[in-house]
Amino acid sequence: MLKHYMDAVSLIERLHRQFLDVVKAELDSLGVRDINNVQALILFNVGDKQLTVGELTARGYYLGSNVSYNLKKMVESGYLEQARSAHDRRAVNVHLSQKGASLWDELNGMFARHADKLATGSVTTAGLDAAQQALRGLERFWDRTH
């Protein structure tokens, strides 16, 4: 079991890095230089929602340890807009700007192209469902472990 567990953990790490490389390549092909791949994924997960930094952190909509830094950079680059919460003046809400929404559309198009290519290849919906089930099991295990 230890070998299978460690192989799975190693694969998750490699896939994560590879996925970030895919996002980086898409940004490069679009000529986008003022946002990095991690920030682009945060932007994608914000989508049409208005979220606080705390909500982004709690939902896991970030990669890396400094979500506040990444949000600040995305506001400075014009991808996000921020405003104080009307209900809690200590909280800051963020949402996509027009520039951010435009990049969201591009990233969504990339994901749609990937899904279309997967549908014609060797990865099946059933295979993806099984992978998700196994990964969710690991997530629940890790949640209980710490």
Side-chain angles (χ1 to χ4, degrees), residues 104-138:
W104 187 94
D105 288 339
E106 295 287 353
L107 293 170
N108 192 55
M110 174 192 71
F111 293 134
R113 288 190 314 274
H114 292 174
D116 288 345
K117 287 180 183 177
L118 279 173
T120 62
S122 60
V123 178
T124 65
T125 301
L128 288 174
D129 287 343
Q132 287 178 43
Q133 184 177 1
L135 291 170
R136 286 193 178 107
L138 272 174

Side-chain angles (χ1 to χ4, degrees), residues 27-83:
L27 293 173
D28 288 347
S29 74
L30 295 169
V32 174
R33 304 276 187 264
D34 57 350
I35 190 170
N36 67 36
N37 48 8
V38 170
Q39 293 165 350
L41 289 177
I42 294 170
L43 178 144
F44 188 81
N45 284 303
V46 169
D48 63 355
K49 298 174 280 305
Q50 182 164 309
L51 302 169
T52 65
V53 174
E55 289 170 323
L56 283 167
T57 302
R59 295 177 187 198
Y61 287 174
Y62 67 95
L63 304 168
S65 60
N66 198 340
V67 70
S68 295
Y69 170 81
N70 283 319
L71 291 176
K72 178 181 174 222
K73 288 298 190 184
M74 289 189 288
V75 168
E76 289 172 358
S77 297
Y79 290 99
L80 293 179
E81 295 174 349
Q82 63 183 9

